[in-house]
Amino acid sequence: MTAQDAPTTAARTAVITGASSGIGAATARQLAAAGFQVVVTARRKDRVEALAAELTAAGHRATAYPLDITDRAAVDAFAASLDRCDVLVNNAGGALGADPVATGDPEDWRRMYETNVIGTLHITQALLPALTAGGDGTVVVLSSTAGHGTYEGGAGYVAAKHAEHVLAETLRLEIVGTPVRVIEVAPGLVKTEEFATTRFRGDTEKAARVYAGVAEPLTADDVADTVTWAVTRPSHVNIDLLVVRPRAQASNTKLHREQ
Ligand code: NDP
C-alpha cells in the first residue's frame, strides 16, 4: 500500500455497535488505536461510557452513546446526533438457545432475527446517507460462519446469520458505484466472555462446554484485528468476505478438542 492509497484515519469516525463487550469492545479499542474517532454503542450505558473514558484517557478520541438497535426511533435519533460517519461496524447480535428445530422456542428465533438482522438493517439504513456523504464509507457486517453453513441445534441463529449475510451481499450489489464498500467478516469459534453465557441464559457450565478442550479458540482481539485490517485497506479495495476460524476448527461441525 502506498501512502497515497491508504485511507487516512484523521478526522474519520467509526461507529461500533455492541461495543459493551467481546468483539465490539476489542474492535473499538483497535480502531481507536488506528486513529479513528470511535463512537461506541450498546444498550448498557455504564459499559460503553467506561470504554469511552478508557480510550479517552489513553489519548484516543471516543464517545459513548447508549443505544438499542432494535428501536428504530432511537437509531434515527442517534444518526441525527452524529457529525459524520465513515465506518459502521455492525457487530451487535448473538445467539439464544441451541435447541433442535422440533422444539426450539419461536420467541428465541424472533429475538435473534430482530437483533442480528433488523437491528443491523435499522442502523445501516440510518447511517448510509452519512457514509455516502463522507465520500469514502465502509460498512462492516459481523456475520458468522453460522451465516454460511448450518449445524444441529443452531437453526435459529444460523437462519438469522444467513439473513445478515444476504443483507451484506445484497447491499453491496445495490450501492455499487457509490463511495461505500461492504465488508463481511464471518468468524468461527470465538471465546468471548458473554456470547455463550447469553446463548445459554446464564448457565456458565453449558457455556464452558462450548470451548471445552479447544486449545486456542479465536479471541475478540483476533476478530478485531481482522476487522481493522479490512477497514484500513486502500479505499478501492473491498474485502467482500473474510471467514476466520481457529486452527482447531475445520468447519462448523468439525472441531478438534484435546482429550
Ligand atoms: P457478546 O455477547 O460479547 O456481544 C454482543 C454485543 O451485542 C454486546 O455488546 C451487547 O451489548 C450487544 N447487543 C445485543 N443486543 C443488542 C441490541 N438490541 N442493541 C444494541 N446492542 C446489542 O458477543 P461477541 O462479542 O462474541 O459477538 C459479537 C458479534 O459477533 C455478534 O453479532 C455475534 O453473533 C458474532 N459472532 C460471535 C462469535 C462467537 O463465537 N463469539 C462467532 C461468530 C460471530 P448490550 O447487552 O450492552 O446491548
Side-chain angles (χ1 to χ4, degrees):
M1 184 189 344
T2 67
Q4 202 182 10
D5 287 337
T8 172
T9 55
R12 283 166 64 79
T13 296
V15 170
I16 300 102
T17 68
S20 59
S21 62
I23 295 167
T27 300
R29 288 191 177 97
Q30 291 198 23
L31 289 178
F36 286 94
Q37 149 98 36
V38 295
V39 182
V40 290
T41 76
R43 290 168 302 181
R44 283 169 294 176
K45 183 173 187 278
D46 55 335
R47 287 222 177 195
V48 285
E49 285 182 346
L51 177 58
E54 170 203 312
L55 293 172
T56 305
H60 303 308
R61 295 168 302 146
T63 52
Y65 192 108
L67 180 66
D68 181 340
I69 56 165
T70 65
D71 178 344
R72 184 55 189 254
V75 168
D76 287 340
F78 168 62
S81 78
L82 293 173
D83 292 332
R84 61 181 297 131
C85 177
D86 304 284
V87 175
L88 165 62
V89 182
N90 282 303
N91 163 78
L96 278 178
D99 305 302
V101 172
T103 55
D105 184 347
E107 194 47 41
D108 284 348
W109 284 56
R110 244 177 239 119
R111 284 181 58 197
M112 284 189 278
Y113 198 87
E114 193 67 32
T115 307
N116 292 284
V117 189
I118 306 296
T120 296
L121 178 68
H122 281 161
I123 195 144
T124 302
Q125 287 182 337
L127 293 184
L128 208 46
L131 288 158
T132 310
D136 185 11
T138 299
V139 176
V140 178
V141 175
L142 238 300
S143 63
S144 168
T145 50
H148 298 269
T150 195
Y151 57 95
E152 290 145 292
Y157 181 58
V158 165
K161 287 299 188 185
H162 271 69
E164 229 184 310
H165 158 67
V166 166
L167 185 160
E169 202 168 62
T170 310
L171 178 65
R172 191 180 305 115
L173 290 171
E174 290 170 349
I175 65 172
V176 70
T178 74
V180 180
R181 58 187 175 174
V182 182
I183 296 170
E184 178 183 351
V185 176
L189 187 75
V190 191
K191 190 172 182 185
T192 54
E193 251 174 69
E194 298 187 1
F195 178 84
T197 313
T198 302
R199 181 170 210 166
F200 296 112
R201 298 180 173 76
D203 186 333
T204 48
E205 272 178 35
K206 262 192 185 173
R209 282 205 284 276
V210 172
Y211 308 104
V214 182
E216 285 177 296
L218 293 178
T219 65
D221 275 331
D222 292 328
V223 181
D225 179 46
T226 301
V227 172
T228 304
W229 176 81
V231 163
T232 53
R233 291 313 84 208
S235 304
H236 68 284
V237 176
N238 196 129
I239 307 296
D240 281 13
L241 169 65
L242 241 162
V243 177
V244 50
R245 299 183 198 268
R247 188 171 52 188
Q249 187 182 35
S251 79
N252 288 358
T253 52
K254 184 83 180 171
L255 180 64
H256 178 72
R257 297 185 195 267
E258 307 285 339
Q259 294 306 308

